[in-house]
Amino acid sequence: MTTPDYRLSQLETLEAESIHVIREVAAELERPVLLFSGGKDSIVMLELARKAFAPARIPFPVLHVDTGLNFPDVLEFRDKRAAELGVELIVASVPDAMARGVVREEPNGSRNRIQTPVLLDAVEEHGFTALFGGARRDEDKARAKERVFSFRDEFGQWDPKNQRPELWDLYNGRIHLGESIRVFPLSNWTELDIWQYVLREDIAIPPLYLAEEREVVERQGMLYAVNEFVRPRDGERSFRATVRYRTVGDANLTAAVRSEATTVADVIAEIAVTRMTERGATRGDDKVSDAAMEDRKKEGYF
């Protein structure tokens, strides 16, 4: 008689930890919401939330802060996936906030910083007390130092020097009126874990993540696909290249990478040997300064 093997694989361990975190927040905090952009990390997070409460529906809405510069394919996927799961989709619009004079366009074309007041307004309007985010520690130095439960004060701000200890997976979700918690169930995942989970669970993704020949322009060593938000500037010449996206932020600031990966299995093989982080390879908006992400987080960014 053989003894059953009860050991969990790497992915099973990560999945169990994330589902534990999601259930803990749903039990402890009054009004959670899941930030869902249609990108791969939030897609996996939504799938984990589905598993956490199946066969019941996900017991909280999803929220997207739409900058007005998102890839149309990603927005289409966002709407389709939310409808399939029957979850309420709340869209906080940066263009609407600009039209109302709440925020103003920045000279550098990035809407990252003006996303923050739009997000904080949505949090206040809907009374959200916990926001699930898809950030992982391997993405960025600021994200690496943030806790799974990340406390925000009544102004939505983060103080990296005043974080709560998390020993033995014990999380402190205590908040006062006006305060909130950002929660990152994928903190301990890597980009490779995400793709291996997408493959194992056969999770649908937007086609931008897979390689195909696209028209691009090169700027500061990065390849930007030509689209309604990116047009060749004076002195630039567009050309065809086989590329895909490792991350999907605003279409005007997110670069593609050269790739031949046309399937999820191909992407995994590619990611397994790369030495460049996904944000370092693709996000022009992170090159403002070494502390750009941390500065935005202190102001209330995701």
Side-chain angles (χ1 to χ4, degrees), residues 36 43 46-47 50 56-58 62 76-89 202-205:
F36 180 61
I43 291 170
L46 193 58
E47 174 63 14
R50 185 195 66 77
R57 287 186 179 181
I58 297 171
V62 298
E76 181 181 342
F77 181 92
R78 176 202 69 184
D79 295 345
K80 180 172 181 282
R81 188 61 183 138
E84 287 172 348
L85 294 177
V87 294
E88 179 188 5
L89 170 63
D202 193 22
I203 300 172
I205 54 170

Side-chain angles (χ1 to χ4, degrees), residues 30-269:
E30 185 177 355
R31 180 77 170 142
V33 67
L34 188 149
L35 298 171
F36 180 61
S37 64
K40 65 184 186 306
D41 299 309
S42 64
I43 291 170
V44 166
M45 205 162 50
L46 193 58
E47 174 63 14
L48 291 166
R50 185 195 66 77
K51 281 193 170 188
F53 304 104
R57 287 186 179 181
I58 297 171
F60 40 75
V62 298
L63 168 67
H64 182 214
V65 180
D66 185 350
T67 63
L69 299 174
N70 299 105
F71 292 99
D73 288 356
V74 177
L75 294 182
E76 181 181 342
F77 181 92
R78 176 202 69 184
D79 295 345
K80 180 172 181 282
R81 188 61 183 138
E84 287 172 348
L85 294 177
V87 294
E88 179 188 5
L89 170 63
I90 298 170
V91 177
S93 169
V94 172
D96 285 352
M98 292 169 64
R100 290 185 282 111
V102 176
V103 294
R104 299 175 60 182
E105 189 84 79
E106 301 226 315
N108 62 6
S110 171
R111 293 183 179 173
N112 277 337
R113 191 172 291 279
I114 61 176
Q115 274 185 287
T116 300
V118 178
L119 171 67
L120 297 181
D121 282 352
V123 171
E124 182 176 0
E125 177 186 352
H126 295 278
F128 295 130
T129 53
L131 286 74
F132 292 105
R136 310 185 319 268
R137 289 189 172 118
D138 74 326
E139 288 183 88
D140 178 89
K141 290 178 286 188
R143 288 176 168 170
K145 67 167 80 168
E146 196 160 15
R147 300 285 195 267
V148 176
F149 275 37
S150 188
F151 174 77
R152 296 294 196 275
D153 65 18
E154 64 270 35
F155 303 107
Q157 295 178 335
W158 175 55
D159 180 2
K161 297 179 182 176
N162 187 26
Q163 300 192 82
R164 296 172 174 179
E166 294 178 343
L167 305 176
W168 305 292
D169 295 336
L170 296 175
Y171 305 108
N172 183 353
R174 179 176 296 178
I175 57 172
H176 298 292
L177 185 64
E179 297 172 341
S180 62
I181 295 282
R182 305 291 173 83
V183 185
F184 303 105
L186 304 181
S187 282
N188 294 327
W189 295 54
T190 65
E191 183 185 12
L192 187 58
D193 295 326
I194 292 293
W195 282 112
Q196 289 175 333
Y197 193 73
V198 167
L199 179 65
R200 194 190 80 170
E201 301 295 316
D202 193 22
I203 300 172
I205 54 170
L208 286 176
Y209 283 116
L210 301 179
E212 64 179 65
E213 189 176 285
R214 296 180 169 95
E215 184 181 4
V216 300
V217 294
E218 183 169 353
R219 291 176 186 164
Q220 298 179 317
M222 291 184 168
L223 298 177
Y224 293 88
V226 176
N227 54 49
E228 63 181 297
F229 307 113
V230 177
R231 311 303 300 178
R233 298 170 180 166
D234 291 343
E236 289 182 337
R237 182 180 60 83
S238 65
F239 56 96
R240 306 289 295 180
T242 303
V243 297
R244 71 175 190 87
Y245 287 85
R246 288 180 66 182
T247 178
V248 287
D250 281 355
N252 64 329
L253 291 172
T254 305
V257 294
R258 292 186 186 275
S259 172
E260 300 294 330
T262 57
T263 67
V264 174
D266 292 340
V267 171
I268 291 171

